[in-house]
Amino acid sequence: MQHVQQMYVKKFIIDIFSYLPSKLIPLLISFLWSYIFTRIFTPEQYGIYGLVMAITGPIVTVITEWAAQPIGRFYSEYKESDFQLVYYFILKRFTKIVVLLSIIVVLSSIIWGCFFYQNYLLLIIPAGLSIIFNALSSLYMPILPASFDSNSFRKQQIFRNVFRLVIAAFLVFEINSNIAFLIWADALSSIIFFFPLINTIKKKINLKEKNIVKDDIIQEHIRRFYSYGFSMMFWFFSSQLLYVGDRFVIQYFLGEKEVGIYTANYMLISGVSGLISAPITLAAFPLIMKLWINRDEKKMVKAIKDMTFIFSFISIGVIGGTYLIAKPLAIISLGKEFNTGYTVMFPIVLGLVVWQASMLGHKGMELKECTWIMTRLIALAACVNLILNFLFVPIYGYEAAAWVTFASYFLYTILIWYKSKNYIKWEIDIFKMIPFIGISIIGVFISNSIEIENVYIELISKASLFSFFYLFLSVLYLFILKKYRIVNFNI
């Protein structure tokens, strides 16, 4: 059993590096996007863009996640069972429903815009197209990591982001500097890359299969998909409110300019969040699903515990690095009117770290298909987030929104940790993580002593020194743990 355990944790580490390029390049694209467009658009204009994206995200979630979650969750189980055709027919049915829901939402939005917001039709139309194709992509994308197809996933993530930037730059520079073209770029890139995605999925799943499956058998299985998916839809909707709800509170109290500053800094650092999320959503989840096929809870507890430890090594370094370079990164990446918002980056990354950690913690509830408890907990966190934002944003501004988001994510994580004992217990080696925290703090203190007038050289110098210091001492610490058999996985 220990050998199998080491094999899966080693695979987890390998998969992290396998998926890393799909996150590093979007990080660079996020930097270029911010660098270019915050120098063209005013904070007010960028605030409108941020609000549109904050609306489309939850809409796509409601349309898609009820179907996408079980499609990804049950892929491995059905692929290795006698019910593969049932899975394929369910996917077909879900595709039709998602298309229908998307069209209804988009047509309703266009009609609503024609009557009440004619001036915003140039925004509504591309946002509608973006909703349709992002919804379909969101339905199929979970199959790629679930099938361990890191190559196809990388191509989708990388080339779609590259094309989105290229299209946006072409439209803005060659046609007109209208904020709507940023939304058109997202819509066009989602359309272009949907077709390669569907071709990839067809190779994995024979969508043209002619064999007949009795409808009563499909209905029996589809109820399981619905039961899992609908509770997850509410979970994802609440998570979207946690992610973007603060934009609306900022707009209500402070105006579109502050939304623009907050959004620009949030989007800039969101590229870093990809480095944090990759080990969890792309590397850990498929392996956990594979392990769960045998329903060995003891093995699951140990695997999730080891994955949490590895994740802490990565994320604590990212937190320290963000605190160190947030200001010079904002000065370099953003226009002068935007870079004052660099103070939100550190609390945002703190929040993203505890949020991604909770994804590992609540996996036991997902596996045991007790997702309603997750939904109740995140709904509570979303309500707390809304209340605290209304209390503190009018007084302390958009920086308060970032800290409130962190507090809400932290609340959810603590609740998940407490409740996990009733499902698959989430064990966390806090004491083993403390050295990482100490190394990061010392690294920040030493690297922060560098003061160079050229902001580019200052950023590179600080980031390089901190990275070397943190990685060298952390890897040394891991080898010590390995040598004295304090940890059992292969480094």
Side-chain angles (χ1 to χ4, degrees):
M1 175 175 154
Q2 185 176 338
H3 173 72
V4 174
Q5 188 66 41
Q6 290 182 353
M7 180 186 70
Y8 272 100
V9 176
K10 186 176 182 179
K11 180 74 166 62
F12 173 57
I13 296 171
I14 293 170
D15 284 351
I16 289 174
F17 288 101
S18 178
Y19 282 109
L20 200 58
S22 70
K23 296 299 180 181
L24 284 173
I25 295 178
L27 175 61
L28 175 62
I29 297 300
S30 176
F31 168 80
L32 291 174
W33 181 280
S34 300
Y35 185 89
I36 295 169
F37 297 118
T38 59
R39 285 167 168 79
I40 295 174
F41 299 108
T42 65
E44 290 84 357
Q45 292 172 319
Y46 210 79
I48 294 172
Y49 167 71
L51 289 171
V52 171
M53 301 310 290
I55 292 169
T56 57
I59 289 175
V60 170
T61 294
V62 171
I63 291 172
T64 308
E65 289 302 333
W66 63 270
Q69 285 305 302
I71 289 299
R73 161 69 178 83
F74 298 126
Y75 177 83
S76 295
E77 182 178 332
Y78 277 76
K79 186 72 174 176
E80 299 183 16
S81 72
D82 296 328
F83 295 103
Q84 293 183 43
L85 278 178
V86 174
Y87 180 90
Y88 304 159
F89 279 107
I90 291 173
L91 180 59
K92 286 183 182 180
R93 186 171 298 185
F94 281 0
T95 301
K96 293 175 183 177
I97 296 172
V98 167
V99 170
L100 180 62
L101 289 174
S102 301
I103 292 173
I104 290 171
V105 168
V106 171
L107 289 178
S108 300
S109 300
I110 293 173
I111 293 169
W112 175 70
C114 288
F115 280 99
F116 300 105
Y117 293 97
Q118 293 91 341
N119 294 337
Y120 289 97
L121 276 177
L122 194 60
L123 298 173
I124 294 172
I125 292 172
L129 288 172
S130 179
I131 287 170
I132 293 173
F133 286 93
N134 277 320
L136 287 169
S137 297
S138 297
L139 176 63
Y140 291 115
M141 280 294 282
I143 294 174
L144 299 183
S147 61
F148 298 97
D149 189 355
S150 59
N151 186 47
S152 296
F153 188 90
R154 279 198 304 267
K155 288 178 180 178
Q156 278 285 325
Q157 291 284 303
I158 292 171
F159 290 113
R160 178 172 168 171
N161 278 282
V162 170
F163 270 73
R164 175 171 166 261
L165 176 64
V166 171
I167 292 169
F170 174 80
L171 293 174
V172 169
F173 286 111
E174 296 298 326
I175 300 178
N176 186 20
S177 57
N178 191 312
I179 199 69
F181 285 134
L182 298 188
I183 305 168
W184 273 107
D186 185 71
L188 294 173
S189 61
S190 65
I191 294 170
I192 291 169
F193 284 92
F194 171 72
F195 296 102
L197 173 62
I198 197 67
N199 286 333
T200 302
I201 299 303
K202 281 181 178 179
K203 293 175 184 177
K204 298 178 181 298
I205 300 174
N206 189 1
L207 296 177
K208 296 181 179 180
E209 179 63 57
K210 297 300 182 182
N211 292 2
I212 298 174
V213 179
K214 291 182 179 180
D215 193 59
D216 59 337
I217 296 177
I218 295 176
Q219 290 302 322
E220 178 185 343
H221 286 268
I222 207 169
R223 279 193 291 270
R224 184 187 182 198
F225 279 66
Y226 281 139
S227 177
Y228 182 87
F230 277 115
S231 61
M232 288 304 293
M233 179 191 74
F234 290 112
W235 184 91
F236 268 90
F237 181 73
S238 296
S239 72
Q240 282 288 311
L241 289 180
L242 276 175
Y243 186 71
V244 300
D246 50 12
R247 315 294 199 282
F248 300 103
V249 178
I250 294 170
Q251 196 276 336
Y252 180 79
F253 286 110
L254 306 176
E256 291 168 353
K257 179 180 179 180
E258 304 300 304
V259 175
I261 295 172
Y262 185 80
T263 299
N265 284 273
Y266 206 118
M267 289 185 66
L268 176 61
I269 208 64
S270 67
V272 175
S273 73
L275 298 180
I276 300 171
S277 65
I280 304 300
T281 56
L282 304 179
F285 285 179
L287 286 170
I288 289 172
M289 296 305 177
K290 279 280 188 181
L291 281 169
W292 183 242
I293 291 174
N294 297 323
R295 299 297 193 273
D296 190 334
E297 289 195 20
K298 288 184 179 179
K299 190 185 295 183
M300 289 297 304
V301 170
K302 182 66 169 62
I304 293 174
K305 179 181 178 181
D306 286 343
M307 289 174 178
T308 303
F309 179 70
I310 296 167
F311 174 70
S312 71
F313 160 59
I314 298 169
S315 59
I316 291 169
V318 171
I319 290 171
T322 300
Y323 179 84
L324 185 68
I325 68 168
K327 186 175 181 178
L329 180 64
I331 292 172
I332 292 171
S333 306
L334 305 175
K336 289 183 179 180
E337 293 183 273
F338 294 87
N339 59 39
T340 54
Y342 77 91
T343 52
V344 306
M345 292 188 187
F346 179 65
I348 286 170
V349 168
L350 273 176
L352 291 170
V353 164
V354 295
W355 173 248
Q356 291 299 330
S358 73
M359 301 299 102
L360 280 172
H362 73 210
K363 211 62 190 172
M365 300 172 194
E366 285 190 56
L367 294 172
K368 293 199 171 185
E369 299 177 33
C370 299
T371 50
W372 283 107
I373 182 65
M374 295 163 47
T375 303
R376 287 196 290 269
L377 294 181
I378 199 169
L380 174 62
C383 290
V384 169
N385 178 273
L386 184 64
I387 293 168
L388 292 180
N389 270 317
F390 270 95
L391 286 175
F392 293 113
V393 167
I395 303 171
Y396 299 106
Y398 54 72
E399 190 173 350
W403 282 106
V404 164
T405 299
F406 162 64
S408 305
Y409 284 149
F410 186 74
L411 172 63
Y412 178 74
T413 304
I414 291 296
L415 292 172
I416 286 294
W417 172 78
Y418 178 75
K419 288 289 186 180
S420 69
K421 61 185 179 183
N422 299 324
Y423 303 93
I424 295 176
K425 189 177 181 181
W426 183 24
E427 294 184 356
I428 305 174
D429 278 328
I430 295 292
F431 291 107
K432 288 182 186 175
M433 297 177 188
I434 290 175
F436 292 138
I437 298 172
I439 293 168
S440 182
I441 292 172
I442 296 170
V444 168
F445 180 78
I446 293 172
S447 303
N448 212 26
S449 63
I450 297 175
E451 293 184 5
I452 301 173
E453 189 172 337
N454 187 304
V455 69
Y456 291 89
I457 299 176
E458 180 186 8
L459 184 145
I460 294 170
S461 301
K462 285 183 174 181
S464 300
L465 178 59
F466 174 81
S467 299
F468 175 79
F469 182 88
Y470 181 78
L471 289 173
F472 177 77
L473 290 184
S474 295
V475 171
L476 180 63
Y477 167 63
L478 288 172
F479 273 106
I480 292 172
L481 292 181
K482 174 69 174 176
K483 181 178 179 180
Y484 292 99
R485 301 184 183 277
I486 301 173
V487 295
N488 294 320
F489 55 82
N490 292 322
I491 299 174

